[in-house]
Amino acid sequence: MATLTFSKYSVTVLILLYGLTFSFSVASARPATFLQDFKITWSDSHIKQLDGGRGIQLILDQNSGCGFASKSKYLFGRVSMKIKLVPGDSAGTVTAFYMNSDTDNVRDELDFEFLGNRTGQPYTVQTNVYVHGKGDKEQRVNLWFDPSADFHTYSILWNHHQAVFSVDGIPIRVYKNNEARGIPFPKFQPMGVYSTLWEADDWATRGGLEKINWSKAPFYAYYKDFDIEGCAMPGPATCASNPRNWWEGAAYQQLSPVQARQYRWVRMNHMIYDYCTDKSRNPVPPPECLAGI
């Protein structure tokens, strides 16, 4: 039986080759820096880049909040960010992460809004959907963890079949394409990706009963791992209609059985408001509610 032997020289060469291969694989990875895909839109003095631009800090004080937006708009795809929300007494603050067509009266929009709380109370995330200028589709979920203690991943998947809002991969909101039943769905207008940290103590916490405590300012939120995969506009005209885009695949056209169970768990145990069941606002449920959003 033949035996393999290695000299000290050949082992050294193998180690060097392995090191070079590893370094090339790391170097070829797409750098996830803030300025690669985003720009500051509001109060640049209140957004600080961290870790060489791989993370940012948003600041809210009595002088100003702040905001940023993607450099491009997208028509279908997925956007996700890791966010660590304002800790402690954050009542009256709102950290928002959303997609918006920025088209005034006919805008399309997919919203995450994280509503601050008094210390010890659960953080509430409000989602909303605007289609062709019509919103008022709020749902609220109390998060089942402290989102200010560590980073968690928040994502919006948007394709021809549905829009799905997820927290750490768990769906908390699904808005299905029910155009076959005459219900509008956002599919014609590209949307940019936006985020803001701002004061909204007239409505954010317990309907405006809890006001912001400025003695706790400044308030900080942190972001990292910016990830946008989608059809950038302007771009190839065929991109948005290409069924081979991964986000249009069969696995993303509806929730998987595991995701469906997670979704039911969220709705049964953590949902605290649903516009579909608010009889004071909607004596007759909106058509998308009856269609099974």
Side-chain angles (χ1 to χ4, degrees), residues 15-244:
I15 292 172
L16 286 172
L17 287 173
Y18 176 79
L20 285 171
T21 302
F22 179 75
S23 67
F24 282 135
S25 66
V26 171
S28 63
R30 181 177 184 271
T33 59
F34 173 67
L35 289 179
Q36 180 176 356
D37 291 325
F38 294 95
K39 60 186 178 182
I40 297 171
T41 56
W42 173 30
S43 190
D44 58 0
S45 64
H46 284 61
I47 295 182
K48 298 188 182 302
Q49 294 191 61
L50 308 172
D51 191 24
R54 286 180 286 273
I56 57 170
Q57 177 193 60
L58 273 63
I59 303 167
L60 167 64
D61 57 28
Q62 284 183 282
N63 295 316
S64 181
C66 56
F68 65 88
S70 59
K71 295 177 180 177
S72 300
K73 290 185 178 181
Y74 302 86
L75 191 55
F76 305 116
R78 185 186 66 187
V79 56
S80 69
M81 298 181 189
K82 288 185 179 178
I83 306 174
K84 184 161 68 171
L85 295 172
V86 176
D89 185 351
S90 56
T93 70
V94 173
T95 308
F97 162 43
Y98 59 103
M99 300 188 72
N100 188 327
S101 64
D102 194 24
T103 46
D104 297 329
N105 295 331
V106 293
R107 83 180 187 274
D108 293 335
E109 188 169 311
L110 304 170
D111 291 342
F112 272 116
E113 292 178 304
F114 303 96
L115 312 183
N117 61 5
R118 287 288 178 226
T119 303
Q121 299 301 311
Y123 238 105
T124 298
V125 55
Q126 174 172 283
T127 57
N128 200 357
V129 176
Y130 282 78
V131 185
H132 306 167
K134 179 68 170 67
D136 300 326
K137 301 178 180 65
E138 299 92 346
Q139 292 181 354
R140 291 188 179 186
V141 168
N142 279 345
L143 293 172
W144 50 94
F145 53 85
D146 180 358
S148 67
D150 204 351
F151 286 94
H152 292 266
T153 302
Y154 305 92
S155 61
I156 300 171
L157 172 77
W158 173 38
N159 60 31
H160 284 81
H161 305 275
Q162 59 182 357
V164 181
F165 301 76
S166 299
V167 177
D168 292 332
I170 297 174
I172 67 165
R173 173 82 182 264
V174 178
Y175 191 86
K176 296 178 182 177
N177 185 341
N178 280 301
E179 286 183 310
R181 303 187 188 190
I183 299 166
F185 184 79
K187 73 174 194 179
F188 299 109
Q189 300 189 95
M191 290 192 270
V193 183
Y194 297 82
S195 187
T196 54
L197 174 59
W198 54 293
E199 173 199 355
D201 68 0
D202 57 334
W203 66 271
T205 307
R206 294 185 60 216
L209 295 177
E210 303 282 359
K211 301 300 183 183
I212 199 165
N213 183 352
W214 288 114
S215 71
K216 304 294 184 181
F219 302 99
Y220 302 108
Y222 296 87
Y223 290 66
K224 66 177 184 178
D225 293 358
F226 312 98
D227 185 21
I228 302 176
E229 298 178 74
C231 292
M233 297 290 163
T238 56
C239 180
S241 60
N242 187 348
R244 290 189 295 274

